Amino acid sequence: MNQTYAVAGVSAVVLATVLVGALGLRVSRTTSDFYVASRSVPPRLNAFAVSGEYLSAASFLGVAGLVLAHGADMLWFPIGYTAGFLVLLAFVAAPLRRSGAYTLPDFAEARLESRAVRRIASVLVVGVGWLYLLPQLRGAGLTLRLLTGAPGWFGGLVVAAVVTVAVASGGMRSITFVQAFQYWLKLTALLVPAVFLLLAWRADHAPAPAWDERPVFQRSTEVRTDATLRLTVQEPVRITATGTVDGRALHGGPLTLDPGPHRIGPATTLRFPPGARVPLPAAGDGRAAASGWANPLAAGREQHSLYATYGLILATFLGTMGLPHVVVRFYTNPDGRAARRTTVAVLGLLGAFYLLIPLYGVLGRLYAPDLLLTGDADAAVLVLPQRLIGGVGGDLLGALVAGGACAAFLSTVSGLTMSVAGVLAQDVLPALGIRHHRLATLPAIAVPTAANTVVSHLPVADAVGLAFAVSASSFCPLLVLGIWWRGLTPPGAIAGLLLGGGSALTAVTVTIAGGARSGLLHTLLAWPAVWSVPVGFAAMVLTSLATRARTPASASATMARLHLPEATGGGGGRQAGRQEGRQTERRDSGRRAVTRHPYDPEPHGTERGVPDPDPDDPGPHAPDPRDPGPEPAA
């Protein structure tokens, strides 16, 4: 890949992000602007923004890499990512918008009138956000490492700096336009190269991948290792090597790798002839399966493949509704009907994007199987233009793909940082309005950036799956039962969040730390949604039934507000939404903002700080001494 073209493409995307974020500083003045864009984003624009924010590095890079390495089973990732919005549409979108909250902890407190529930929800929101940020920063590091040769941690640091500027400057209002633009950039960055890649594949006599066997090098391929690599060879393969192989120093001479395990030293270059089978990493490295690539539920990737598939389905189907950066976007719609329209549009936009991803995985299996050796399968989308097309055309298409990858992790990192910073500003830092919302951006991005320098072995999409599992185990029960069951009590919600979400968070933390690398324990911890989601629901239901006396007194009124259309419950569809926005603005420009629905007569008492004053507001005027006042009544 030509570094000059690629760096130019990435730089253009970064510059556009910074400029739009800086422009947002001119239009974002109140707390409502920063948190929910004053609840005035129309459905079509919001759908573009939701799609741009949701299609992360896991979608742009990770899914193709998993299809390359593991095959048909990995198609559950795009299916689950998209179908999650169908569940969100049916059960959550409109009622959640009608709640009038700013964040998930706001909704939890308004529904259950409990500060304890709010605190636990805040911890889980931050945990899910940080888990989701890790793979985005890893994708950034991978992209910039391929483009410039910089260390993997450097890319994450650059993205963190850019996002900090964008979020702290403009808040939700400016991020909306950035993410809408980035959706179309990402779609274009996949669609245009895909056309040329298919033409090049046809010109190469349309070879088919080895459906049930190890992949084959289509051309003479050079592989360079950065660290010690252990390979398993199934049939003899003759190569040339420079470096260390099985403890022997070689200097470009021929070598035959016999069947069995081999140890390749760091900084070693291997050249494989065309037609040679790809020797995959030895069992235990967790990088690739030996066979069954095209067969669903084939043995090899997981020791309990059926269980792992169910865990993936549950996590992705149910976890979407609890992702903080996705949920907060529905608060920006004018009303509940607009939230539903946004969700329907998102389903179509995501479907169009995910149609392209498997194509890159299959072509990567054909033309970039060496990525399986180095563990860089996530880079398939980035290297294919140069592998198939080459020359200036390949460089230009590679720059376009690199820009799309940059947009992928920038948009998602922006949304996640925005949502985590919002929770930190309200529930952790002293309440001083927008100023501390900007300061909260620093810890929101700094913690996962630091963790990214330590944790780098998980594939991008797998790491995102862990965040989905925690979300599905905690916020899915809270939202579904909180919206549809009047009997949910604060003790029930606390029990479900701690047992469901807490156990899932513990499981994925152990998985990321490498606490269990094989066996049944590893499978249970790496795919916890199968058991943690039922635990969360059961704990909430059973504890609520045992504590019926603790049901909030306002539960019936809150349920009516969540489910009655705005024309009935709030007075007039879109007009009610605009009225709510004006009420929010007036509330934010006063002495305090409280966590409550705009139509509630009594606040729940969660004080936030005094926001920055509006320079255009002249404020109250002293009475004119020349004014005689009202005339006396006759």
Side-chain angles (χ1 to χ4, degrees):
M1 180 181 297
N2 187 296
Q3 292 187 359
T4 303
Y5 286 90
V7 170
V10 170
S11 300
V13 174
V14 171
L15 181 61
T17 301
V18 172
L19 290 177
V20 176
L23 178 63
L25 182 62
R26 300 170 59 88
V27 296
S28 297
R29 294 167 175 166
T30 68
T31 305
S32 182
D33 280 334
F34 265 74
Y35 287 150
V36 291
S38 295
R39 309 189 195 277
S40 59
V41 182
R44 183 178 301 178
L45 177 60
N46 211 20
F48 296 153
V50 171
S51 302
E53 180 178 56
Y54 188 64
L55 294 172
S56 63
S59 297
F60 197 92
L61 301 176
V63 173
L66 288 177
V67 170
L68 185 163
H70 304 300
D73 276 339
M74 299 302 99
L75 295 179
W76 279 114
F77 275 99
I79 291 172
Y81 290 157
T82 306
F85 276 90
L86 188 60
V87 180
L88 194 151
L89 170 66
F91 296 106
V92 174
L96 190 63
R97 169 59 191 89
R98 296 187 190 111
S99 71
Y102 278 121
T103 61
L104 277 172
D106 282 354
F107 169 81
E109 185 182 15
R111 169 64 178 84
L112 297 166
E113 300 182 358
S114 169
R115 290 287 296 173
V117 175
R118 180 189 182 94
R119 293 189 187 99
I120 297 172
S122 299
V123 171
L124 288 171
V125 165
V126 174
V128 170
W130 282 346
L131 273 175
Y132 211 140
L133 279 167
L134 276 176
Q136 313 312 318
L137 297 173
R138 184 181 184 276
L142 173 65
T143 301
L144 293 186
R145 177 167 63 83
L146 290 175
L147 298 182
T148 65
W153 57 265
F154 180 74
L157 188 62
V158 170
V159 169
V162 173
V163 167
T164 299
V165 173
V167 173
S169 298
M172 182 63 74
R173 189 176 289 278
S174 65
I175 287 177
T176 296
F177 295 100
V178 172
Q179 291 170 341
F181 160 73
Q182 287 171 338
Y183 168 77
W184 292 107
L185 175 60
K186 285 182 277 191
L187 184 64
T188 303
L190 286 182
L191 181 59
V192 173
V195 174
F196 291 95
L197 292 177
L198 286 176
L199 292 175
W201 173 71
R202 290 286 297 175
D204 195 29
H205 307 292
W211 298 112
D212 299 311
E213 301 174 351
R214 294 195 176 200
V216 176
F217 290 109
Q218 298 291 322
R219 303 166 182 173
S220 178
T221 304
E222 184 176 282
V223 179
R224 179 177 175 83
T225 63
D226 294 326
T228 300
L229 181 65
R230 292 176 174 84
L231 302 179
T232 299
V233 177
Q234 288 187 334
E235 59 186 46
V237 56
R238 189 167 180 82
I239 65 172
T240 59
T242 301
T244 305
V245 179
D246 295 330
R248 297 164 49 195
L250 301 171
H251 304 282
L255 174 69
T256 299
L257 295 178
D258 296 322
H262 295 273
R263 183 176 182 276
I264 312 299
T268 298
T269 300
L270 309 176
R271 180 169 288 278
F272 293 87
R277 297 283 180 192
V278 178
L280 301 183
D285 284 10
R287 288 176 178 169
S291 62
W293 182 80
N295 297 325
L297 302 181
R301 180 175 188 263
E302 296 288 340
Q303 294 177 331
H304 306 86
S305 56
L306 181 61
Y307 172 89
T309 300
Y310 282 129
L312 172 62
I313 292 172
L314 275 176
T316 54
F317 275 42
L318 302 180
T320 302
M321 71 176 66
L323 295 178
H325 65 302
V326 171
V327 171
V328 74
R329 292 234 58 100
F330 289 95
Y331 299 141
T332 66
N333 282 118
D335 50 41
R337 181 171 178 267
R340 284 202 175 100
R341 292 176 60 192
T342 294
T343 312
V344 172
V346 168
L347 285 169
L349 295 171
L350 295 184
F353 182 90
Y354 283 127
L355 285 175
L356 300 170
I357 296 297
L359 170 65
Y360 282 85
V362 174
L363 291 178
R365 185 83 172 183
L366 282 169
Y367 296 102
D370 55 288
L371 298 177
L372 299 175
L373 289 175
T374 59
D376 288 333
D378 291 331
V381 174
L382 299 170
V383 304
L384 280 174
Q386 190 61 40
R387 296 284 181 94
L388 269 76
I389 299 171
V392 176
D395 291 336
L396 291 174
L397 292 176
L400 179 60
V401 172
C406 180
F409 44 72
L410 277 178
S411 59
T412 303
V413 171
S414 297
L416 286 166
T417 303
M418 182 75 207
S419 58
V420 173
V423 172
L424 292 176
Q426 294 179 65
D427 299 306
V428 178
L429 295 176
L432 292 178
I434 293 176
R435 184 176 299 107
H436 270 214
H437 182 276
R438 291 170 177 158
L439 293 178
T441 303
L442 297 177
I445 190 66
V447 172
T449 302
N452 181 56
T453 63
V454 179
V455 180
S456 59
H457 62 280
L458 278 178
V460 171
D462 273 354
V464 168
L466 298 177
F468 271 79
V470 178
S471 173
S473 305
S474 53
F475 294 118
C476 174
L478 178 66
L479 288 171
V480 171
L481 295 177
I483 289 173
W484 296 97
W485 185 38
R486 179 186 176 279
L488 182 65
T489 65
I494 291 173
L497 290 174
L498 291 178
L499 293 178
S503 61
L505 185 60
T506 302
V508 302
T509 302
V510 173
T511 300
I512 292 176
R517 296 185 180 276
S518 61
L520 178 60
L521 180 60
H522 165 73
T523 305
L524 290 173
L525 295 178
W527 306 98
V530 173
W531 53 267
S532 58
V533 171
V535 165
F537 272 103
M540 284 194 187
V541 171
L542 295 178
T543 306
S544 295
L545 291 176
T547 57
R548 292 177 179 174
R550 299 285 302 277
T551 302
S554 62
S556 296
T558 303
M559 296 293 287
R561 175 202 311 144
L562 295 178
H563 295 285
L564 290 177
E566 283 82 357
T568 302
R574 287 184 176 275
Q575 183 178 357
R578 290 191 293 269
Q579 179 183 358
E580 179 184 339
R582 290 192 295 269
Q583 290 175 342
T584 302
E585 292 295 334
R586 289 195 295 268
R587 181 182 66 205
D588 290 337
S589 61
R591 295 184 177 179
R592 65 175 183 169
V594 294
T595 304
R596 67 184 182 94
H597 189 275
Y599 306 132
D600 277 353
E602 296 294 335
H604 293 295
T606 304
E607 291 198 10
R608 301 189 188 126
V610 179
D612 296 345
D614 187 344
D616 295 329
D617 183 7
H621 297 282
D624 189 341
R626 296 170 295 180
D627 185 359
E631 296 182 2

